[in-house]
Amino acid sequence: MGVRKAAKGVGDFLAETAGEAVVEVLLSLLACAVLGCLVLTAYLSWSYSPRFTIAGVGLLSLVLAYGGWHAFRSPGKGRRQRLAVLTAAGFTVAAVTALFLLLYGTGCDCL
């Protein structure tokens, strides 16, 4: 009975380790794909119009800053504005994407 239990424990450990390795590879590939799409978007935008690219990045920065301000400040009295909720959600999505790229995209050898 002790040998079967030990063999089952070793088998479970190896299956878990292999599963984690596969998930790690898939997340790294996804991070490389997202990073590649961001670089391609920036390149195509810049080749189309550098002025619109700079204006778009500035506008996006303002929207994300407004969303971050609303996400981290204490809620006030009264109703919540739709724009504030939308920009806070956009800030959260951008922050999670940046964290994902930081964690999994830094080891990307595709660049």
Side-chain angles (χ1 to χ4, degrees):
M1 287 289 185
V3 175
R4 285 186 186 181
K5 189 174 183 180
K8 185 178 185 312
V10 169
D12 289 343
F13 172 75
L14 290 176
E16 183 178 339
T17 303
E20 286 179 7
V22 168
V23 168
E24 191 77 25
V25 167
L26 290 176
L27 286 175
S28 295
L29 287 174
L30 180 64
C32 283
V34 169
L35 192 59
C37 287
L38 288 174
V39 168
L40 179 66
T41 301
Y43 172 75
L44 292 176
S45 176
W46 187 264
S47 66
Y48 177 71
S49 173
R51 288 182 182 170
F52 285 146
T53 302
I54 292 173
V57 168
L59 182 63
L60 182 64
S61 298
L62 285 174
V63 167
L64 290 178
Y66 181 72
W69 179 65
H70 272 285
F72 289 114
R73 74 178 197 150
S74 60
K77 295 180 181 177
R79 60 178 165 76
R80 293 193 60 143
Q81 298 175 356
R82 290 183 182 150
L83 180 63
V85 172
L86 183 66
T87 56
F91 173 77
T92 305
V93 168
V96 168
T97 303
L99 182 63
F100 172 72
L101 288 176
L102 180 66
L103 292 176
Y104 292 102
T106 53
C108 184
D109 295 332
C110 59
L111 298 177

